[in-house]
Amino acid sequence: MTEIVGIDLGTTNSLCAVFRDGQPQLIPNPHGEFLTPSVVGILENGQVVVGAPARELRITRPERCRATFKRDMGSGRQVLIGRQTFSAVELSSLVLRSLKEDAESFLKQPVHEAVITVPAYFNDLQRKATRQAGEMAGLRVRRIINEPTAAALTYGFHDRTSDKKLLVIDLGGGTFDVTLMEVFDGTLEIISTAGESHLGGEDFTDALAASVLRGRNLDLEVVEDESPLLVSRLRQECEQAKRRLQTKEEVWIRIPDRKGHVGDNDPHSAVRVTREGFIQATKSLMERLKEPIRRVLRDGQSGPGDLDEVILVGGATRMLVLRQFVTDFFQREPQCRHNPDEVVALGAAVQAALMADDPALGDMVMTDVCPFTLGVEICRRFGDRHNDGYFSPIIHRNTTIPVSREEAYFTIEPNQDEVMFNIYQGEGRKVKDNLKLGELRVKGVPPGPAGQQVNVRFTYDLNGLLEVEARVPQTGKMFKTLLVNNVSLTGAELQAAIARMQALKSCPRDEVANRQLLLFAEKLVGEVNKEERRGLEQALDQFEQALDERDRGQFQHTRQGLLLVLESLGFRYEENRGYEDHDAGDHGDKKTDK
Ligand code: ADP
Ligand code: MG
């Protein structure tokens, strides 16, 4: 039996789930966790680590790691890790490969197919990039679905018989989506969706870091250029502070030195942040959340009072500022019946089950919409002048998908034998405010006066991928899209990329936990005093040597030694969680609060 897994490929965390025994279930990674941080690192021995160990590595060796690359999907941007360059697609493929391995180990069978989720607001290029990342990881991507839709599927699956209007608010690490949906009689209908693909919890962390530095007359970007280690460590401090503000009225943030070290004893190196201070630092971000919510309600012809439930999804909806904002905006408490970190992956598994016709779903049906308007650039005539740059919509936002629409356009010059269609996505009246997706050149328009007809057909499929065709009715000649903005790879390029990724060996599964401990302890070297440092380094050296030599006899012994040293220094290391768990509170680092 082939299993289709459901994957939530997040900016911050990724998860994998499968539908079994009539239920969606999450799949654990080698650390026994469901959340795998979307961080990729390359160890000095050339092995790839994904998840918690890579996140540890990122603190001490930011140049060997990459995170938040989902933001660059579809952009063609390349980043350096060590001496190798990677695209966001390649880095994502390494995360997917790791999840695929987790699934294979959990299911005890090969996995070749997946449903992958993307932010509703991901454009065509970002969706194609995601599909390609899947292929690169050896996964046939059976369907790309929108994250809030997947979240809605989890709610809808457990609430199939109800009759409700729901609003899903999904604030993840890097993206914000809002979706209005209705459940009735086993049918889940997405009514409207809106969002921002560059707004998430990481921006709240950055805003906090920027405000801390501003308090010292420093600019985050300038400091980041000069001392990346300082900023990578400060971000971690701010991330923890942001979480702790859920339970504490005020927290202390330690400001690292240029090498990224934080001292425990220097009172000048810490600043106090209150809840109010956090609200002030993130005010402009909160403002940006309002517009997509208003738009979704407007498009769905609903008001806050028409909703039966407001559902929160995504780790960043744990922030008190956000909950308060939602409560004020909707005049009701938001719902969180399913774990906000997990609903998207679970919903992807429900979608996988829908595709596999799993009998547990009965006749549940789901319909989705196209989240943005798609169209072409046109000229407008003013007297005898033609001005170009206007946007002519072909598929309007929030049209139910799949959808195929045709529009007629006309030549503007006599004997014009060629028409160039520039294809755009967005809501602007002029194309300069929208995103260019590609272009389509139509040749061989028959001679004649201006006004010769060319038809353009847009087809938007269930994956949210666009296909554009043009036809000259007089000759019947057809033309297909040529995406100039297309950063997705050609067949040969893809094969080359696959080969390059395959050449990168993953850190063996049975070694990952040890690598993580090593990286965790390495990070602490800069935090202890010089007497403590010697003992710690010694234990580290021995453990590292045992690891490098793959000397199993010494693994346990030196590991135990290192754990003892850590304990004697007052650091708590939790095998399955590393230092950063998802509850507010202490995270294994000592004395982070004063
Ligand atoms: P993504 O789907 O983009 O991977 P997640 O849904 O996993 O993102 O959310 C990650 C974001 O949630 C991060 O920015 C993280 O800082 C934030 N986050 C997670 N837990 C908390 C918490 N307890 N308090 C505040 N923010 C949190
Ligand atoms: Mg998410």
Side-chain angles (χ1 to χ4, degrees):
M1 176 180 162
T2 71
E3 299 268 10
I4 311 173
V5 293
I7 294 178
D8 170 6
L9 183 61
T11 313
T12 328
N13 292 301
S14 296
L15 299 90
C16 185
V18 66
F19 198 88
R20 282 214 148 170
D21 309 323
Q23 291 280 338
Q25 290 178 28
L26 293 168
I27 292 176
N29 65 23
H31 310 282
E33 296 255 272
F34 296 136
L35 266 74
T36 297
S38 307
V39 188
V40 173
I42 299 194
L43 299 172
E44 267 159 69
N45 65 11
Q47 287 173 350
V48 177
V49 281
V50 171
R55 192 177 53 185
E56 293 289 357
L57 183 66
R58 187 173 172 225
I59 297 161
T60 45
R61 304 291 303 273
E63 78 286 358
R64 299 206 74 89
C65 293
R66 288 292 156 181
T68 60
F69 38 83
K70 181 171 169 180
R71 290 183 161 188
D72 293 327
M73 285 298 258
S75 73
R77 183 172 169 231
Q78 298 274 327
V79 294
L80 206 60
I81 304 187
R83 265 185 250 131
Q84 271 194 76
T85 57
F86 292 86
S87 66
V89 175
E90 290 168 339
L91 294 171
S92 302
S93 84
L94 294 172
V95 174
L96 290 171
R97 177 168 101 183
S98 170
L99 297 174
K100 175 177 184 274
E101 286 165 6
D102 294 343
E104 289 175 340
S105 145
F106 178 77
L107 297 169
K108 303 191 176 53
Q109 69 178 59
V111 169
H112 301 296
E113 299 191 320
V115 169
I116 302 181
T117 63
V118 294
Y121 239 61
F122 248 26
N123 64 46
D124 196 64
L125 309 172
Q126 293 166 313
R127 285 165 196 266
K128 289 198 172 104
T130 304
R131 193 163 65 174
Q132 218 150 41
E135 283 168 37
M136 236 180 242
L139 288 168
R140 189 155 87 88
V141 182
R142 291 285 304 271
R143 181 69 57 82
I144 301 249
I145 62 166
N146 297 327
E147 285 162 13
T149 303
L153 268 172
T154 304
Y155 276 85
F157 171 71
H158 290 284
D159 233 358
R160 265 166 292 175
T161 49
S162 64
D163 207 339
K164 280 184 187 166
K165 207 175 235 188
L166 313 170
L167 187 82
V168 181
I169 294 186
D170 179 354
L171 187 64
T175 54
F176 177 54
D177 280 326
V178 196
T179 295
L180 179 66
M181 59 170 286
E182 209 165 350
V183 190
F184 57 91
D185 251 0
T187 301
L188 269 82
E189 188 188 337
I190 306 292
I191 301 168
S192 54
T193 185
E196 264 205 53
S197 57
H198 284 88
L199 176 59
E202 305 298 318
D203 297 300
F204 285 77
T205 305
D206 271 14
L208 183 56
S211 96
V212 164
L213 290 176
R214 238 187 347 262
R216 305 216 157 174
N217 288 324
L218 295 168
D219 177 84
L220 179 71
E221 277 176 30
V222 175
V223 178
E224 183 152 35
D225 272 348
E226 289 167 0
S227 332
L229 283 172
L230 186 161
V231 173
S232 73
R233 190 61 214 261
L234 178 64
R235 276 212 176 90
Q236 191 211 353
E237 288 283 316
C238 290
E239 173 69 27
Q240 292 189 355
K242 179 179 82 172
R243 290 169 188 235
R244 267 191 250 115
L245 279 171
Q246 259 70 264
T247 50
K248 303 205 163 131
E249 279 295 330
E250 58 171 54
V251 293
W252 285 87
I253 294 176
R254 298 175 298 178
I255 301 190
D257 65 18
R258 298 175 60 85
K259 291 200 177 124
H261 294 160
V262 283
D264 273 332
N265 304 324
D266 178 7
H268 302 297
S269 73
V271 287
R272 188 174 69 106
V273 176
T274 60
R275 277 191 188 162
E276 183 52 33
F278 184 67
I279 292 175
Q280 289 306 325
T282 57
K283 216 167 194 149
S284 65
L285 296 173
M286 295 303 302
E287 274 307 305
R288 280 168 64 196
L289 298 173
K290 286 185 190 159
E291 182 41 41
I293 297 179
R294 291 206 181 103
R295 163 122 60 96
V296 141
L297 291 174
R298 216 163 37 232
D299 284 359
Q301 293 165 2
S302 300
D306 300 329
L307 304 172
D308 294 295
E309 277 180 34
V310 179
I311 291 165
L312 298 184
V313 178
T317 56
R318 290 211 172 83
M319 290 187 296
L320 284 182
V321 274
L322 187 115
R323 296 198 166 202
Q324 192 53 50
F325 160 73
V326 171
T327 309
D328 293 347
F329 195 96
F330 295 96
Q331 295 292 304
R332 80 181 61 207
E333 293 280 329
Q335 289 289 325
C336 234
R337 267 176 287 134
H338 299 281
N339 182 330
D341 294 322
E342 299 173 353
V343 277
V344 171
L346 292 170
V350 174
Q351 175 65 49
L354 278 172
M355 303 189 77
D357 280 331
D358 195 298
L361 292 168
D363 20 298
M364 184 170 153
V365 180
M366 195 263 300
T367 67
D368 208 344
V369 296
C370 168
F372 24 65
T373 304
L374 296 159
V376 292
E377 176 180 6
I378 52 163
C379 290
R380 288 244 156 92
R381 192 168 168 164
F382 298 92
D384 48 5
R385 247 180 344 121
H386 279 106
N387 283 357
D388 55 15
Y390 291 88
F391 182 54
S392 162
I394 296 180
I395 294 177
H396 286 273
R397 70 167 188 261
N398 293 323
T399 305
T400 300
I401 59 171
V403 54
S404 190
R405 294 255 158 89
E406 193 171 79
E407 283 286 331
Y409 295 92
F410 302 92
T411 55
I412 49 175
E413 309 274 354
N415 295 323
Q416 178 182 343
D417 64 347
E418 205 177 284
V419 184
M420 173 73 120
F421 288 100
N422 289 314
I423 300 155
Y424 285 87
Q425 157 200 320
E427 311 309 320
R429 182 169 72 97
K430 297 199 172 162
V431 294
K432 68 174 173 35
D433 299 319
N434 296 335
L435 173 78
K436 183 166 175 180
L437 296 176
E439 48 194 51
L440 178 58
R441 188 184 295 271
V442 174
K443 288 183 181 168
V445 180
Q452 300 298 311
Q453 186 171 344
V454 182
N455 293 342
V456 178
R457 173 171 289 279
F458 274 29
T459 305
Y460 194 82
D461 70 10
L462 287 168
N463 293 306
L465 297 173
L466 175 69
E467 194 183 271
V468 182
E469 274 172 355
R471 196 167 54 90
V472 182
Q474 263 182 300
T475 62
K477 223 171 152 192
M478 298 278 295
F479 299 83
K480 285 222 178 226
T481 345
L482 185 102
L483 290 165
V484 274
N485 233 351
N486 195 358
V487 286
S488 55
L489 309 171
T490 63
E493 285 167 342
L494 180 64
Q495 287 313 317
I498 290 175
R500 264 193 316 128
M501 291 306 110
Q502 279 172 349
L504 288 170
K505 292 294 168 233
S506 302
C507 177
R509 286 178 74 76
D510 57 356
E511 224 183 82
V512 200
N514 287 325
R515 284 283 164 199
Q516 187 182 346
L517 171 61
L518 186 75
L519 293 164
F520 170 80
E522 231 162 30
K523 180 190 72 183
L524 300 175
V525 169
E527 283 187 33
V528 296
N529 65 35
K530 62 175 186 286
E531 289 78 35
E532 295 171 332
R533 180 173 175 139
R534 272 206 37 213
L536 178 58
E537 283 192 309
Q538 214 165 36
L540 258 168
D541 289 347
Q542 286 167 356
F543 184 47
E544 181 172 45
Q545 208 167 358
L547 274 184
D548 284 347
E549 289 169 8
R550 296 191 62 79
D551 182 348
R552 293 188 175 277
Q554 289 292 313
F555 265 17
Q556 275 315 323
H557 174 63
T558 52
R559 180 186 168 84
Q560 221 37 51
L562 179 59
L563 285 171
L564 279 175
V565 172
L566 289 177
E567 206 182 301
S568 73
L569 296 175
F571 294 104
R572 181 164 53 92
Y573 179 72
E574 279 185 55
E575 178 78 78
N576 289 342
R577 302 210 125 158
Y579 65 93
E580 197 182 39
D581 65 27
H582 283 268
D583 305 310
D586 284 334
H587 304 280
D589 272 327
K590 67 172 180 179
K591 297 183 213 153
T592 39
D593 261 323
K594 312 230 157 146

